[in-house]
Amino acid sequence: MAVPTKSWCKHAFSFYPKCDTLMNNISESFNATILAARDKPILTMCEWIRKYLMNRLSTSASKLENWPHKVMPIPRRRLDNEVFNSGHWLPTWSIAETFQVTHSYNTHEFIVDIAKRSCSCNFWELVGIPCRHAVAALSYRKQNPDEFVDACYTREKFALCYGFSVSPINGQDMWPEVEMEPPLPPAYKNGPGRPKKIRIRESGEDGARKRRSGVAYKCTKCDNFGHNAMTCKATTQDPNALKRKRKPKKGHVPTATNMPTANDMPTASDMPAPTATDMTVPTNVPVPTDPQPPTDMPVPTIMSQTGSSVAASITKQSRKRVEKKPIIKRRQSERIKLSWFKRPITGEGISSDKPITLPENEDIPTSK
């Protein structure tokens, strides 16, 4: 409370401890629901919310009519799960409505007080549904666990929450006209970058961006580990920090600027000068009598290509790889027909030189 309350902050509200988490959950659920309509104009967004509430209330009322149990479906499913898992817990009656519940396979033990509706595992107090230890104690006393579920999960509270309806209204063209000054749109300034519709996830939530484990990140300003350029306290830029090996982008083709040129090749002045020991010729090496090469051997030719020609050949190869013929999938009957037409025609009747001949004793069939 020592922090001044002029700046809006949650700690300044005098609510009970659970209200902070409750308000945060309500706001997140509300923003997730109106995600499709919150970027629309004010009237369009309000109409979308009104129709959504109208449909939700009517659907909840129909669910209430078709549900016969005392506890509603979602808490009932959770209670059934606790009843299923209570088979391995053995209750020991202490006094009045107090029990000590022990697991049958390990040494886990909990204290259950049915009168106070509490368990040392704190599940019953936090959720409002009897835990598996409490269900084991209730089964010892032959009591129904449905009677010990919190009242907020019952049919009566559900009917009070969804027992009203939203009235339908006519379209905007049938609204009555009011003699008032039309409201002006609020002052809005476009921020840098693309506007975000989904809120930024925290580090522990599902869908949040996670840093790769086992990778040490280095600062691009001072070239040291342990921090990044945003939190770096160095005042000067280290030139070595920007010299990093990065992976090439997909589909990247080296150009003539990336290829070595004639200026990058070593020259005669860069080569070391030969010494006297390098110029001496050993005496025990036999000297060939015919130093001339044979005439039937091909003379090797030196192909010289500049950086631009190499880059052009690489781009042509990449285009050949990319430009593939589309694969046409035909049905089996079409493939059979195509293969039948590709067969070579042989025998009589293929040309005027080889006409079809009939035997003399066979008549030609005539159409009736």
Side-chain angles (χ1 to χ4, degrees):
M1 299 301 296
V3 180
T5 58
K6 290 183 179 180
S7 59
W8 190 91
C9 186
K10 290 182 181 179
H11 81 278
F13 292 95
S14 59
F15 293 148
Y16 53 94
K18 291 184 179 179
C19 189
D20 188 9
T21 306
L22 180 63
M23 293 296 294
N24 192 24
N25 293 340
I26 290 175
S27 61
E28 289 187 3
S29 301
F30 181 78
N31 289 330
T33 303
I34 66 168
L35 184 62
R38 69 180 186 179
D39 58 345
K40 292 179 173 55
I42 182 66
L43 288 178
T44 307
M45 183 182 66
C46 291
E47 280 296 300
W48 189 93
I49 296 174
R50 187 186 64 82
K51 293 177 182 177
Y52 172 79
L53 292 176
M54 186 192 306
N55 186 22
R56 178 167 181 172
L57 290 173
S58 59
T59 305
S60 301
S62 63
K63 287 182 180 179
L64 184 62
E65 294 176 358
N66 300 327
W67 185 250
H69 303 284
K70 178 183 178 181
V71 184
M72 294 309 292
I74 296 178
R76 175 79 183 195
R77 194 181 308 123
R78 195 162 188 177
L79 178 62
D80 293 342
N81 185 30
E82 297 299 323
V83 172
F84 177 78
N85 294 323
S86 65
H88 300 297
W89 294 92
L90 303 176
T92 303
W93 186 26
S94 173
I95 189 173
E97 296 183 354
T98 306
F99 291 83
Q100 179 177 344
V101 185
T102 309
H103 199 272
S104 58
Y105 298 117
N106 51 43
T107 59
H108 294 173
E109 295 180 344
F110 297 94
I111 301 173
V112 178
D113 192 345
I114 298 177
K116 296 180 181 179
R117 296 194 175 190
S118 65
C119 178
S120 56
C121 70
N122 296 328
F123 180 86
W124 198 354
E125 297 95 315
L126 292 175
V127 183
I129 299 173
C131 59
R132 58 198 66 179
H133 322 115
V135 172
L138 291 172
S139 63
Y140 182 86
R141 295 174 58 90
K142 297 182 181 179
Q143 292 179 327
N144 188 7
D146 292 353
E147 302 295 332
F148 294 87
V149 178
D150 196 85
C152 64
Y153 299 122
T154 58
R155 288 174 52 91
E156 292 77 11
K157 297 298 181 180
F158 192 86
L160 290 176
C161 185
Y162 297 99
F164 63 96
S165 61
V166 178
S167 302
I169 62 175
N170 294 320
Q172 189 173 357
D173 55 343
M174 301 178 65
W175 290 357
E177 296 183 0
V178 182
E179 295 181 358
M180 293 182 64
E181 184 179 356
L184 298 176
Y188 180 75
K189 182 180 179 181
N190 293 329
R194 183 177 180 179
K196 299 177 181 178
K197 296 190 67 175
I198 302 175
R199 68 177 183 85
I200 301 174
R201 303 285 181 179
E202 295 184 3
S203 59
E205 292 186 77
D206 295 336
R209 296 182 60 184
K210 298 180 180 179
R211 305 186 72 173
R212 291 181 295 176
S213 60
V215 178
Y217 292 89
K218 186 183 289 188
C219 178
T220 57
K221 190 174 182 180
C222 64
D223 201 21
N224 293 326
F225 292 97
H227 62 278
N228 53 13
M230 296 293 294
T231 58
C232 184
K233 298 181 180 179
T235 56
T236 58
Q237 174 66 46
D238 189 358
N240 296 327
L242 301 177
K243 297 179 181 180
R244 293 188 178 182
K245 295 181 180 180
R246 300 185 181 274
K247 294 182 179 180
K249 297 181 180 179
K250 293 183 177 180
H252 177 69
V253 179
T255 57
T257 57
N258 299 330
M259 299 298 296
T261 58
N263 297 329
D264 300 332
M265 300 298 292
T267 58
S269 58
D270 300 332
M271 299 295 291
T275 59
T277 56
D278 300 333
M279 299 299 291
T280 57
V281 180
T283 57
N284 56 354
V285 177
V287 180
T289 56
D290 191 7
Q292 297 296 331
T295 56
D296 55 347
M297 291 184 62
V299 180
T301 58
I302 300 174
M303 301 296 294
S304 61
Q305 289 184 344
T306 60
S308 59
S309 60
V310 174
S313 61
I314 293 175
T315 52
K316 288 181 181 179
Q317 293 177 2
S318 60
R319 289 175 184 174
K320 289 181 181 179
R321 295 173 185 173
V322 173
E323 297 175 359
K324 295 182 179 179
K325 294 183 179 179
I327 301 174
I328 302 174
K329 296 184 179 180
R330 298 184 177 89
R331 292 177 293 180
Q332 186 176 3
S333 59
E334 296 180 357
R335 291 198 298 268
I336 293 173
K337 291 179 181 179
L338 290 174
S339 61
W340 186 80
F341 282 114
K342 290 179 180 179
R343 294 178 182 176
I345 302 174
T346 58
E348 298 179 351
I350 60 174
S351 63
S352 57
D353 299 336
K354 297 182 179 180
I356 299 174
T357 57
L358 297 175
E360 297 179 357
N361 56 355
E362 185 175 350
D363 298 334
I364 299 175
T366 57
S367 61
K368 295 182 180 180

